[in-house]
Amino acid sequence: MKILSIQSAVAYGHVGNSAAVFPLQRIGVEVLPVYTVTFSNHTGYGQWRGPMISPDDVREVVRGVQERGAFGDIDVVLSGYQGGEGIADVILETVEQVKAANPSAVYACDPVMGNAKSGCFVAPAIPVLLRERVVPAADIITPNQFELGFLTGTEPSDLESTLAAADAARAMGPRTVLVTSVERPDRPEGTIEMMAVTDDGAWIVQTPRIPMKANGSGDVTAALFTAHLRRTGDAADALARTTSSVFALLSMTHESGQRELQLIQAQEHYADPQMQFDVQRVR
């Protein structure tokens, strides 16, 4: 499997491609990373250095990959945080070109906008752009519950409303929706869930909630779920494997006392997930 991943990169820590690439490689996926920024660290620190790469320069990198004849072998185009409006144009052009070269290729979009605690933390034009142009072109999307609500104009909370919102998102274009950070009001205290919804059904998995903010964990989640789903076509299995791997990664990070993901230290949990959580079919 080959994934063309258009995302940010940092020298210190793990977000964007700096979070997604290694776990994908560890499960045997060939990754072609294209960078949209090259920062010293993620912006959550409040201070960072390095350039945002212009859309034209990103386009040139993609064009160079295309000129090597690689597009016909690409199975997935993956995108995450989009820092500016111009990057969306590059991503959508790339998806169109890759699918022309390989009609079985899919586009997986993590529509990064914000979360329930912080609200939107992207430029005001980005959520509208994602909703109106990017998500309709995607085959797989991986929003959190807050982002799913914005995309669909709903307020998902309980199981039924979250399922309905996922269906509304699927009606926009993508056939698979992975809802991360599902927080149902009736869930047991100290837990959190993820839900996958496809044409074949819907599944949910519950884990203990680890009390920490982990920048980059969503990037790892989107990458692993997309790869597992693309490899097997089994959303329940992809959900189980991804949940196991990411929970282990977050547990090791929390135990380490470090702010940055312990991405390398958790590598065995990508290649050989413990599958310790039950995935329940809910539809």
Side-chain angles (χ1 to χ4, degrees), residues 71 77 90-102 107 137:
F71 278 14
V77 178
V90 177
I91 292 169
L92 292 174
E93 291 167 12
T94 303
V95 169
E96 184 177 357
Q97 292 161 358
V98 167
K99 288 190 171 186
N102 179 12
Y107 171 36

Side-chain angles (χ1 to χ4, degrees), residues 13-44:
H14 302 289
V15 298
N17 269 334
S18 300
V21 171
F22 178 69
L24 288 172
Q25 291 172 330
R26 195 64 181 80
I27 64 171
V29 175
E30 182 77 26
V31 187
L32 289 71
V34 175
Y35 304 132
T36 56
V37 307
T38 304
F39 286 165
S40 55
N41 49 270
H42 68 70
T43 58

Side-chain angles (χ1 to χ4, degrees), residues 254-270:
H254 186 247
E255 290 166 5
S256 75
Q258 299 296 310
R259 177 171 180 173
E260 295 292 342
L261 291 176
Q262 299 298 288
L263 195 78
I264 309 305
Q265 293 83 345
Q267 62 179 289
E268 296 304 323
H269 294 281
Y270 318 139

Side-chain angles (χ1 to χ4, degrees), residues 6-280:
I6 306 175
Q7 300 195 59
S8 59
V10 294
Y12 178 85
H14 302 289
V15 298
N17 269 334
S18 300
V21 171
F22 178 69
L24 288 172
Q25 291 172 330
R26 195 64 181 80
I27 64 171
V29 175
E30 182 77 26
V31 187
L32 289 71
V34 175
Y35 304 132
T36 56
V37 307
T38 304
F39 286 165
S40 55
N41 49 270
H42 68 70
T43 58
Y45 286 96
Q47 183 181 34
W48 65 94
R49 298 183 183 275
M52 180 176 289
I53 301 172
S54 75
D56 285 341
D57 286 337
V58 176
R59 185 179 284 110
E60 281 297 291
V61 172
V62 172
R63 182 175 294 129
V65 173
Q66 182 182 28
E67 289 170 348
R68 303 286 73 76
F71 278 14
D73 296 327
I74 291 173
D75 300 289
V76 177
V77 178
L78 174 66
S79 72
Y81 170 75
Q82 298 183 24
E85 297 177 59
I87 293 298
D89 291 327
V90 177
I91 292 169
L92 292 174
E93 291 167 12
T94 303
V95 169
E96 184 177 357
Q97 292 161 358
V98 167
K99 288 190 171 186
N102 179 12
S104 68
V106 300
Y107 171 36
C109 170
D110 184 5
V112 178
M113 292 181 246
N115 55 60
K117 290 184 178 179
S118 304
C120 280
F121 50 65
V122 297
I126 297 300
V128 177
L129 176 68
L130 288 168
R131 182 178 62 200
E132 295 183 356
R133 294 187 56 213
V134 180
V135 166
D139 300 287
I140 302 167
I141 60 171
T142 60
N144 60 37
Q145 200 170 23
F146 170 84
E147 293 161 342
L148 178 65
F150 180 88
L151 290 173
T152 58
T154 64
E155 295 184 4
S157 56
D158 59 10
L159 178 61
E160 290 306 316
S161 62
T162 304
L163 281 169
D167 285 339
R170 293 173 65 245
M172 297 167 64
R175 304 317 307 156
T176 298
V177 177
L178 174 70
V179 190
T180 63
S181 303
V182 175
E183 299 185 67
R184 292 189 288 166
D186 58 344
R187 74 191 189 281
E189 186 176 355
T191 65
I192 195 164
E193 295 167 311
M194 283 204 296
M195 177 189 293
V197 185
T198 74
D199 291 339
D200 297 324
W203 298 265
I204 198 165
V205 61
Q206 186 178 95
T207 72
R209 181 173 192 144
I210 298 173
M212 63 174 293
K213 179 181 179 181
N215 294 88
S217 58
D219 303 317
V220 177
T221 300
L224 287 177
F225 178 80
T226 297
H228 289 310
L229 180 65
R230 179 63 174 165
R231 178 171 283 161
T232 68
D234 186 334
D237 180 72
L239 182 60
R241 290 181 180 277
T242 301
T243 301
S244 178
S245 297
V246 174
F247 182 81
L249 168 62
L250 293 177
S251 295
M252 292 182 71
T253 301
H254 186 247
E255 290 166 5
S256 75
Q258 299 296 310
R259 177 171 180 173
E260 295 292 342
L261 291 176
Q262 299 298 288
L263 195 78
I264 309 305
Q265 293 83 345
Q267 62 179 289
E268 296 304 323
H269 294 281
Y270 318 139
D272 187 22
Q274 294 179 327
M275 307 293 277
Q276 69 269 48
F277 300 110
D278 292 330
V279 173
Q280 297 184 353

